[in-house]
Amino acid sequence: MKTVIIGGVAGGASAAARLRRLDEKAEIVVLERGEYVSFANCGLPYYIGGAITNRDHLTLQTPAGFKARFCIDVRVQSEAVKIDPEAKTVTVKDLKTGESYFESYDNLILSPGAEPVKPDFDGVEGGNVFTLRNIPDTLKIKGYIDSAKPKTAVVIGGGYIGVEMAENLKEAGLDVAVVELADHLIAPLDFDMAADVHRYIKSKGIKLYLNNGVRGIEGDRVVLQKGSVPADLVILSVGVRPETALARECGIETDRRGSILVNRKMQTNLPGIYAVGDAIQVEHFIHKSPAFLALAGPANKQGRIAADNIAGIPSEYTGTQGSSVLKLFDMTVAATGLSEAGAKAAGIDYDKAYIYSASHASYYPGGTNMSVKALWDRKTLQIIGAQIVGFDGVDKRMDVLATAIRLGGKITDLTELELCYAPPFGSAKDPVNMLGFVAENVVSGRVKQFFWHDVEGLPRDGSATLLDVRTATEVGRGKIDGFVNIPLDSLRERMGEIPKGKAVYVHCHSGLRSYLACCILQGNGYECYNLAGGWRLYESVIHERTVPEYVCTECK
């Protein structure tokens, strides 16, 4: 049996290696249009920023390496230009010689990936404008920085690649700005969790232009809907689209986006043809509807599954949940499953909880707090999404939550997880456990919540009591209008100041002391509501909603 694989990198390369492990006698040919068959595309920004100094470290495997270890025929600079499903052949153009030839197959795996979207505005073809997809793109950007010595850079698009590029351009010594059409960076996050990211990235000297689109690029300036920004260097990072023209031309079915339609065995509608990676439509693991999620981990798994089925091993892909993590200087941002926007779009009746917990025991030096948010289905209690923004230990907690989602865990199951503990690594009540404790209190009705977006609409006419249980020192640093301060430790002796028969809305810094206040008040006959996430979350969100936009003093 002969299998031809079009495209390498994550999906194609993993399919080739897996198929060889399963079948020593199989004939395997990999066709790769570029110069590199397997490279660390997620590591490309870090070569530009200088964290990776040896370009050879970006190459994970070479054609010679594939041949020596796996006896796989890898042909780089070989572009598949036509597929004939009836004859079971691929027309291949050798980009080094310009000659074409036919390659036959018994099974064909398509792994063409996704290409960066180039927006439809003037200036995108300028010599100082770049996209980032592969090693040649990386070398062009690095070469331009080294030769042209740009001082200012604008990244258009605030997704994962855009934010990573902003960090690495800053590390390379440039004055950097990010322009994003939406109201926040990193689409898998909700605005309330992105607010911490905004404040942090600005503290590192990177300018943000949110809710602001690009009209065009004019030489060394990016013209925005509101103002303009100097840009000796421009990175386009507005998203990707599946590169599937070859598949469509031979009759393979795609969706409106252009993503190849496959079943759970990674089979297309044409016999003997499979597809994997960023070019395919996937099933979202949570809501089971079609989705487009371009991630390296799923691509590797899909390549493995396609190889299994070709080798006669029944194997199915059960969906993508969108687990992702981002390094931003010293900050870590992670998400899995659905955001609130995603849950609403899917029509899921959900609830949510926030915590603000230390990465390890507070008495052990070096601990930092992380902001954690989780969503769950009100009916089933199953976890449907989580987001964490912090520093140390974020990836560890997100991996636990992603695993819980994959295994169908309920939000209340988090209370029972037995996680590793020692003071340098965690707490006896790990943040994941604490998230479960908070949610369990909500689910059981022991605690009623209100949220940062409810604060403005709270009654301030005396029909309810608004209570701040932080210390006077904390209140001096900032407060919410209309809230009366009674510190938690004085609450019992000053309870007479709180009228009976009226709802009490309580907040503290993070939500913990206000929870304790609610326990005290409810035990004395009051109806109490706790501000989820506390003052810290509220202030972060409101600050980012009200802070003035950057105004370029040089703008025309």
Side-chain angles (χ1 to χ4, degrees), residues 70-130:
F70 298 107
C71 195
I72 292 172
D73 181 5
V74 174
R75 304 173 194 172
V76 295
Q77 293 186 278
S78 298
E79 182 179 9
V81 295
K82 184 178 179 181
I83 299 168
D84 186 337
E86 296 296 327
K88 286 200 166 187
T89 61
V90 178
T91 303
V92 185
K93 182 177 181 180
D94 186 327
L95 299 179
K96 291 171 287 188
T97 66
E99 297 177 352
S100 296
Y101 61 92
F102 295 105
E103 190 70 40
S104 64
Y105 66 84
D106 296 304
N107 291 290
L108 179 66
I109 300 176
L110 304 180
S111 180
E115 60 184 344
V117 173
K118 279 200 171 182
D120 185 20
F121 51 67
D122 292 338
V124 295
E125 301 298 336
N128 64 335
V129 181
F130 302 88

Side-chain angles (χ1 to χ4, degrees), residues 381-404:
L381 301 187
Q382 285 190 321
I383 310 166
I384 61 170
Q387 301 162 42
I388 309 180
V389 176
F391 296 90
D392 182 48
V394 168
D395 54 338
K396 167 184 173 180
R397 274 60 183 222
M398 185 53 73
D399 282 343
V400 172
L401 294 170
T403 302

Side-chain angles (χ1 to χ4, degrees), residues 26-323:
E27 184 179 356
I28 305 170
V29 178
V30 178
L31 304 173
E32 171 55 49
R33 180 177 58 194
E35 301 175 47
Y36 304 89
V37 66
S38 180
F39 59 89
N41 52 357
C42 295
L44 300 180
Y46 301 101
Y47 179 72
I48 295 169
I52 298 172
T53 56
N54 188 338
R55 59 180 279 185
D56 292 339
H57 291 169
L58 297 173
T59 304
L60 302 179
Q61 188 59 273
T62 64
F66 264 110
K67 185 68 175 177
R69 178 161 296 181
F70 298 107
C71 195
I72 292 172
D73 181 5
V74 174
R75 304 173 194 172
V76 295
Q77 293 186 278
S78 298
E79 182 179 9
V81 295
K82 184 178 179 181
I83 299 168
D84 186 337
E86 296 296 327
K88 286 200 166 187
T89 61
V90 178
T91 303
V92 185
K93 182 177 181 180
D94 186 327
L95 299 179
K96 291 171 287 188
T97 66
E99 297 177 352
S100 296
Y101 61 92
F102 295 105
E103 190 70 40
S104 64
Y105 66 84
D106 296 304
N107 291 290
L108 179 66
I109 300 176
L110 304 180
S111 180
E115 60 184 344
V117 173
K118 279 200 171 182
D120 185 20
F121 51 67
D122 292 338
V124 295
E125 301 298 336
N128 64 335
V129 181
F130 302 88
T131 58
L132 180 64
R133 181 186 186 186
N134 50 37
I135 291 178
D137 292 342
T138 306
L139 298 180
K140 287 178 185 176
I141 296 170
K142 187 73 163 59
Y144 184 83
I145 292 173
D146 292 342
S147 62
K149 308 294 183 185
K151 292 183 172 55
T152 58
V154 171
V155 179
I156 301 175
Y160 279 99
I161 296 298
V163 170
E164 288 174 344
M165 279 303 302
E167 173 196 353
N168 282 281
L169 290 171
K170 186 69 178 178
E171 295 283 23
L174 281 75
D175 184 9
V176 182
V178 179
V179 178
E180 170 57 52
L181 185 60
D183 67 351
H184 68 280
L185 300 177
I186 310 173
L189 297 182
D190 291 311
F191 184 92
D192 50 18
M193 297 297 286
D196 281 353
V197 180
H198 297 170
R199 180 172 285 184
Y200 179 74
I201 196 171
K202 287 185 289 189
S203 77
K204 293 296 184 179
I206 294 175
K207 301 178 180 68
L208 295 186
Y209 297 86
L210 304 173
N211 284 312
N212 207 342
V214 175
R215 290 183 175 178
I217 302 170
E218 297 180 358
D220 61 355
R221 302 195 73 81
V222 174
V223 181
L224 308 178
Q225 292 172 347
K226 294 173 280 186
S228 67
V229 192
D232 300 324
L233 168 67
V234 178
I235 303 293
L236 299 176
S237 183
V238 297
V240 296
R241 60 178 163 229
E243 191 173 354
T244 54
L246 181 68
R248 294 195 303 272
E249 288 168 2
C250 76
I252 292 174
E253 294 178 352
T254 61
D255 63 12
R256 275 186 277 182
R257 180 190 288 269
S259 300
I260 297 171
L261 302 181
V262 295
N263 61 18
R264 287 190 166 196
K265 295 181 178 181
M266 314 315 300
Q267 296 167 320
T268 70
N269 61 300
L270 298 184
I273 301 182
Y274 298 74
V276 300
D278 296 351
I280 71 169
Q281 179 193 91
V282 297
E283 178 185 277
H284 198 288
F285 181 75
I286 305 295
H287 52 67
K288 308 304 180 186
S289 297
F292 177 69
L293 294 165
L295 295 166
N300 275 281
K301 295 178 181 66
Q302 294 154 12
R304 179 185 178 93
I305 289 167
D308 283 353
N309 284 291
I310 289 171
I313 300 172
S315 184
E316 293 190 352
Y317 187 67
T318 56
T320 303
Q321 68 190 66
S323 299

Side-chain angles (χ1 to χ4, degrees), residues 184 189-198 340 352 354 371 373 387 389 451-453 536-538 540-541 544-545:
H184 68 280
L189 297 182
D190 291 311
F191 184 92
D192 50 18
M193 297 297 286
D196 281 353
V197 180
H198 297 170
E340 286 198 65
K352 59 185 176 181
Y354 304 83
S371 184
K373 177 180 183 178
Q387 301 162 42
V389 176
F451 301 99
W452 62 266
H453 46 76
R536 196 212 65 81
L537 177 67
Y538 172 83
S540 178
V541 175
E544 288 305 309
R545 284 205 180 278

